[in-house]
DNA sequence: AATTGTGGGTTCGTAAATCAAACCCACTCG
DNA sequence: CGAGTGGGTTTGATTTACGAACCCACAATT
């Protein structure tokens, strides 16, 4: 039997965040709304290629999670646009970290159709710094300090 | 009929990146490998809770995508550990942007089991700056400049 | 020699998610 | 009246994900 070691998934913010934004189409829908000025259902469908039913479900759950809010832009018939909440706005860091990485490591097609520019005029590329000390953060500079958890420590007995 | 406006998904780096790291369990597996020092199959299963078959498939595709590489750590029987490539290392920005956001906007359980610390000693929180001008980047500071694409411009005829 | 254990998967049958296409509804416009 | 628009929902087929069980090569124990 293998049973003694089934699974004990970590509780962490990455996991929590992914429950909100990690499902298929969620980040592409957010890309449209957050970075490309598309706020209507049909436009998001068109620009992402997501199936309408899935997109409807995603928008609904993103709204429920407090990332999006619907704004009435026309009564009779009632029509809504999808806009970001503060939590949604703050996803730009995630979106651009992903874009930046994709740009550097998966860019397979020579010219990228969508590009982004910082207000300073330069093509946007991110530099991540520690908010506390202001130094640039590199992969090796981060350590995980985990509060005790049986599975992390080599325990004297199972 | 609605047919004239089916879909024409944008080509962009976010989309490209998500094809690599956007499938279920991929980022949690990378969290283990990149940030929590777990490099073996069973440890990743244990700490993420991913089904073994799915995880096996993800690790395989992440390896194929050049994000991971397997390293032999024991012959007879041959056993491999999963390590990051340079592309994988650079995902720390994505991982921590997600963690940072999750920390601020979805942290539902009071105390977080896993936390991260910068080498300066502070709990890690990111500050994203424009690599070109060095200024902090806020949601509104970024504009998308898209190269011409029928769907973006209001065209004179459908 | 036979059993138990370990590490890393694969196989199985089922449950859930995704998909494309079609449909529906409330309206407006010509 | 008929067509069009915007925003979905429904349907039925296909993919994926799931957990549990299984398999394999070997090492260590009994």
């Amino acid at each position: 039997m293998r049973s003694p070691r089934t699974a004990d998934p970590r509780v962490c913010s990455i996991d929590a965040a992914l429950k909100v934004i990690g499902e298929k189409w969620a980040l592409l829908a957010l890309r449209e709304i957050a970075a490309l000025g598309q706020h209507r259902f049909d436009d998001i469908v068109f620009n992402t290629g997501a199936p309408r039913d899935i997109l409807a479900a995603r928008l609904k759950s993103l709204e429920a999670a407090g990332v999006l809010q619907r704004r009435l832009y026309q009564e009779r018939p009632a029509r809504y646009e999808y806009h970001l909440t503060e939590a949604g706005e703050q996803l730009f860091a995630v979106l651009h970290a992903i874009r930046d990485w994709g740009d550097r490591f998966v860019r397979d097609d020579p010219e990228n159709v969508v590009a982004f520019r910082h207000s300073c005029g330069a093509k946007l590329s991110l530099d991540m710094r520690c908010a506390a000390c202001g130094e640039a953060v590199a992969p090796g500079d981060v350590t995980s300090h985990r509060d005790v958890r049986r599975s992390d420590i080599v325990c004297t007995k199972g």
Side-chain angles (χ1 to χ4, degrees), chain A:
Chain A
M1 270 208 289
R2 184 194 298 274
S3 38
R5 193 177 159 78
T6 343
D8 185 10
R10 286 183 216 274
V11 174
C12 95
S13 309
I14 294 178
D15 179 81
L18 288 175
K19 274 174 186 139
V20 176
I21 57 165
E23 287 175 303
K24 203 165 181 185
W25 302 112
L27 281 168
L28 288 183
L30 286 164
R31 172 196 71 187
E32 293 302 313
I33 299 167
L36 295 164
Q38 304 297 308
H39 299 276
R40 324 261 258 237
F41 189 85
D42 277 10
D43 293 327
I44 302 173
V45 165
F46 184 87
N47 289 300
T48 59
R52 308 174 67 82
D53 56 344
I54 306 297
L55 186 69
R58 286 298 167 277
L59 293 172
K60 209 165 284 184
S61 79
L62 287 171
E63 191 195 355
V67 173
L68 294 179
Q69 62 190 2
R70 297 200 309 161
R71 271 221 263 283
L72 190 72
Y73 72 90
Q74 163 188 302
E75 303 176 342
R76 328 221 42 78
R79 292 283 179 264
Y80 297 88
E81 283 183 336
Y82 295 90
H83 286 266
L84 299 172
T85 59
E86 173 61 17
E89 292 277 357
Q90 292 302 321
L91 276 170
F92 87 99
V94 171
L95 243 20
H96 284 288
I98 292 172
R99 186 195 50 70
D100 225 31
W101 184 83
D103 233 26
R104 287 197 273 178
F105 299 103
V106 256
R107 186 230 311 278
D108 25 316
D109 45 5
E111 58 213 83
N112 232 309
V113 180
V114 183
F116 296 89
R117 180 152 291 170
H118 184 229
S119 52
C120 75
K123 185 158 167 295
L124 183 64
S125 179
L126 294 176
D127 181 21
M128 316 197 83
R129 293 173 173 275
C130 169
C133 71
E135 292 289 305
V137 178
D141 301 340
V142 183
T143 52
S144 62
H145 95 94
R146 334 154 214 186
D147 304 325
V148 188
R149 202 160 156 75
R150 291 146 311 294
S151 54
D152 293 333
I153 311 286
V154 179
C155 218
T156 49
K157 59 184 195 66

